[in-house]
Amino acid sequence: MLSAIWETEGLQTVGIVVLVFASIKLLHVLGLISFSEDSVEDELELSAVRHRPEGLEQLESQTRFSRKELQILYRGFKNECPSGIVNEDTFKDIYSQFFPQGDASTYAHFLFNAFDTDHNGSVSFEDFVMGLSILLRGTVQEKLNWAFNLYDINKDGYITKEEMLDIMKAIYDMMGKCTYPVLKEETPRQHVEVFFQKMDKNRDGVVTIDEFIDCCQNDENIMRSMHLFENVL
């Protein structure tokens, strides 16, 4: 699937799609996307899940997940992460398994930092669910805001050409032999040059959130990719 998108829709779309697809792989590894809505076993397991009511109600109001979905997500999260948090090494392990033909460590690092909204070196269940809600069920504007945050590595409110190149190199490294045709070393920079110029409309050397969103919203391929994974849960 990803290789087909890579060949037909270009670098910028792959960056957005891999972002969402990698998040779905995280769900799969944590065992969070294999439940049935009518499963009696699920219902019995749910009875053993305990939440602080105010915490669950707050997450329900802040995300687009139902109470039952949040309970199931929490159950799987706690089963795989008994400490209640995910660290960066966990992200790297997950994506190294999913992309064995490449090196996913750098992309996992960037993705982890995007989920780690309070920058304390760990991703809590709340961090995870808030990000997941945006990626899977957020509006286009919310998804693009989240993607901008990923590309804005130093979190200064702008994307530089080097930041975009770092993300794209990480994606190429992660895809490894999955890319076709085999890429030359200079290919990521060439693609970033073209796409960055398209985004940087006032030619000031940085891309603002408004420029990023405007460019993405006017790209049919990116807009189509925004809706690929909306029915995962």
Side-chain angles (χ1 to χ4, degrees):
M1 179 181 180
L2 286 177
S3 60
I5 294 172
W6 186 283
E7 293 179 52
T8 60
E9 298 189 356
L11 180 73
Q12 62 271 33
T13 304
V14 170
I16 302 295
V17 171
V18 169
L19 168 66
V20 181
F21 200 47
S23 302
I24 292 172
K25 179 56 182 177
L26 182 59
L27 277 178
H28 176 69
V29 171
L30 294 178
L32 304 179
I33 57 175
S34 59
F35 63 88
S36 168
E37 194 68 26
D38 299 319
S39 169
V40 174
E41 182 180 355
D42 276 342
E43 292 294 340
L44 292 174
E45 289 179 358
L46 285 176
S47 65
V49 177
R50 296 292 180 265
H51 297 268
R52 290 184 308 157
E54 64 272 20
L56 181 59
E57 289 175 2
Q58 183 176 0
L59 280 177
E60 192 175 4
S61 68
Q62 291 176 339
T63 69
R64 290 177 170 82
F65 295 126
S66 68
R67 177 177 292 260
K68 179 173 180 178
E69 287 171 330
L70 286 168
Q71 288 176 320
I72 294 172
L73 287 168
Y74 182 74
R75 181 194 63 210
F77 190 90
K78 289 291 287 184
N79 282 344
E80 296 298 326
C81 310
S83 66
I85 60 173
V86 177
N87 59 32
E88 186 172 328
D89 287 340
T90 302
F91 268 60
K92 290 181 178 179
D93 288 344
I94 288 170
Y95 298 127
S96 66
Q97 294 171 32
F98 190 40
F99 295 97
Q101 302 301 317
D103 179 0
S105 60
T106 303
Y107 186 78
H109 166 73
F110 291 139
L111 192 62
F112 178 84
N113 285 341
F115 271 99
D116 181 17
T117 54
D118 52 9
H119 310 299
N120 65 355
S122 62
V123 172
S124 66
F125 176 70
E126 289 79 7
D127 294 330
F128 177 67
V129 168
M130 293 292 289
L132 196 64
S133 175
I134 292 172
L135 289 172
L136 298 184
R137 297 185 180 172
T139 64
V140 168
Q141 179 91 13
E142 288 170 336
K143 291 177 182 178
L144 292 176
N145 277 325
W146 207 95
F148 180 88
N149 180 59
L150 173 75
Y151 282 84
D152 179 18
I153 295 173
N154 67 1
K155 311 308 178 193
D156 66 351
Y158 302 95
I159 299 174
T160 66
K161 191 180 296 182
E162 289 307 311
E163 284 177 321
M164 185 175 288
L165 181 60
D166 286 344
I167 296 292
M168 290 306 167
K169 280 182 176 178
I171 292 172
Y172 277 117
D173 290 344
M174 181 171 65
M175 296 296 291
K177 296 178 182 179
C178 294
T179 60
Y180 180 84
V182 177
L183 300 169
K184 297 179 180 179
E185 186 175 345
E186 67 272 16
T187 300
R189 181 172 292 277
Q190 291 172 347
H191 286 178
V192 166
E193 286 285 347
V194 173
F195 195 49
F196 192 87
Q197 291 304 315
K198 182 180 178 181
M199 281 191 166
D200 183 18
K201 294 186 176 181
N202 63 1
R203 301 293 184 264
D204 64 351
V206 295
V207 172
T208 65
I209 182 66
D210 291 337
E211 288 174 323
F212 181 83
I213 289 176
D214 182 66
C215 183
C216 290
Q217 286 182 331
N218 285 291
D219 187 303
E220 292 183 4
N221 292 328
I222 291 179
M223 287 299 95
R224 189 159 55 248
S225 76
M226 292 288 95
H227 305 290
L228 287 177
F229 305 106
E230 290 181 346
N231 297 314
V232 170
L233 286 178

